Amino acid sequence: QYTVSLILLAIAVVVIWRYRDDIRYNPARHIGLFAYLGVVFWTLLPDESLGVQLSLGLRLEGLIMYVAMACATGIFMHNRHVEDQRNRANAQLAHYDALTDTLSASLYQTTAPRVFDTARTQAKQLTMAVIDIDHFKQVNDHYGHLTGDELLSGVAKVMSDTLSKYSGKHSLYRAGGEEFNILFENLSDSLVEIVVTDIWQTVRTAKLEAGRFEIPTTISIGVAKMMTTDESVDDLYARADENLYQSKHNGRDAITI
């Protein structure tokens, strides 16, 4: 009996290991597995154990109690999982832009001032890049807004993927419309220039498909870093935005640092 119970337990361990994600948050599978373990335990115990005579009634009572505990833990874990998923979904909506999956403008409004104050207090470098998709209004007018949205999402993905290649603290926000902001925390001037140039070059050479079309796309970028005279993050943004305007004034598809 002991050997058989060990073999059946080993089978359960293999099942748990291979299908743990499917079992963990599925109440029926969770309860079924632990009911199996309960049956193995209570049916294969010797008739007399630790001086106690195990009658059929006593075995049934133990099995019922075991299954009841499995039901309680299975339902509890399922409900917690559903609640965690709901909370993650709410956080996603609050912190990320639904169209581009970049950080949202509302999060920028709350985070950027705090990042600025921390950088100024700790005398660390803070650099901002303001990015605008060139001639995006013409894309909307010519291809339609649905195609424009797909292009916007594609450009955002290219920028996010490019940023992910580099170490250091950098955050990509959608400021609104076709404009994006990147905050570089404590990155050197040379590294910021490398990253920004890579983003600019990758977008302009990417084969961006939107709708049924492959649309050549370029971006204009303005970059500025925090100065000791800056009183708020808005001062930093104003200089970066002024440099963006200079890029547009120079014919777009350009970087002004």
Side-chain angles (χ1 to χ4, degrees):
Q1 287 175 302
Y2 179 67
T3 302
V4 172
S5 66
L6 285 181
I7 293 172
L8 294 176
L9 175 62
I11 293 173
V13 169
V14 172
V15 171
I16 291 172
W17 178 253
R18 290 194 61 181
Y19 303 103
R20 54 191 178 277
D21 292 332
D22 294 328
I23 293 171
R24 183 182 295 121
Y25 302 122
N26 186 301
R29 293 171 182 168
H30 178 98
I31 293 167
L33 175 69
F34 284 94
Y36 163 83
L37 291 173
V39 169
V40 169
F41 177 78
W42 286 103
T43 58
L44 292 176
L45 276 176
D47 292 335
E48 185 175 332
S49 180
L50 297 177
V52 177
Q53 192 71 28
L54 292 178
S55 63
L56 178 61
L58 194 59
R59 291 175 191 270
L60 285 175
E61 287 179 9
L63 180 59
I64 290 169
M65 180 63 71
Y66 193 89
V67 173
M69 289 189 293
C71 290
T73 57
I75 293 170
F76 173 77
M77 290 178 66
H78 172 71
N79 290 341
R80 280 294 302 271
H81 180 59
V82 170
E83 184 180 351
D84 289 344
Q85 286 185 314
R86 188 184 301 116
N87 291 338
R88 281 196 294 269
N90 291 336
Q92 181 81 8
L93 289 173
H95 295 160
Y96 288 85
D97 178 69
L99 178 61
T100 61
D101 203 30
T102 58
L103 297 171
S104 66
S106 59
L107 186 66
Y108 171 86
Q109 296 296 331
T110 57
T111 303
R114 185 169 65 248
V115 171
F116 175 87
D117 291 340
T118 300
R120 185 170 60 173
T121 301
Q122 299 179 0
K124 293 183 177 179
Q125 186 161 313
L126 180 65
T127 308
M128 181 184 294
V130 180
I131 303 169
D132 193 81
I133 301 176
D134 296 330
H135 305 296
F136 186 72
K137 184 178 183 302
Q138 295 179 16
V139 173
N140 279 333
D141 293 343
H142 184 72
Y143 298 101
H145 288 279
L146 289 178
T147 300
D149 286 348
E150 286 189 40
L151 180 66
L152 192 67
S153 179
V155 171
K157 186 177 187 310
V158 169
M159 292 194 293
S160 295
D161 290 346
T162 305
L163 272 173
S164 67
K165 298 189 305 182
Y166 297 93
S167 59
K169 188 68 186 289
H170 34 65
S171 306
L172 174 64
Y173 301 86
R174 183 187 178 194
E178 67 274 22
E179 184 178 300
F180 297 85
N181 294 347
I182 305 176
L183 281 175
F184 298 96
E185 298 180 44
N186 206 30
L187 266 67
S188 66
D189 295 344
S190 58
L191 182 55
V192 168
E193 184 172 352
I194 289 171
V195 175
V196 168
T197 303
D198 194 5
I199 290 172
W200 168 76
Q201 184 66 33
T202 304
V203 170
R204 72 196 305 269
T205 57
K207 296 185 182 298
L208 292 167
E209 294 184 357
R212 298 176 289 106
F213 312 99
E214 184 179 302
I215 304 174
T217 305
T218 61
I219 55 177
S220 297
I221 306 177
V223 182
K225 71 176 182 178
M226 184 177 66
M227 299 172 63
T228 55
T229 54
D230 289 339
E231 296 183 358
S232 72
V233 72
D234 292 338
D235 296 329
L236 173 60
Y237 172 81
R239 287 198 313 282
D241 191 53
E242 184 179 338
N243 288 341
L244 171 63
Y245 176 80
Q246 190 63 46
S247 292
K248 293 181 177 181
H249 182 72
N250 291 338
R252 295 183 171 85
D253 188 22
I255 305 169
T256 302
I257 300 177

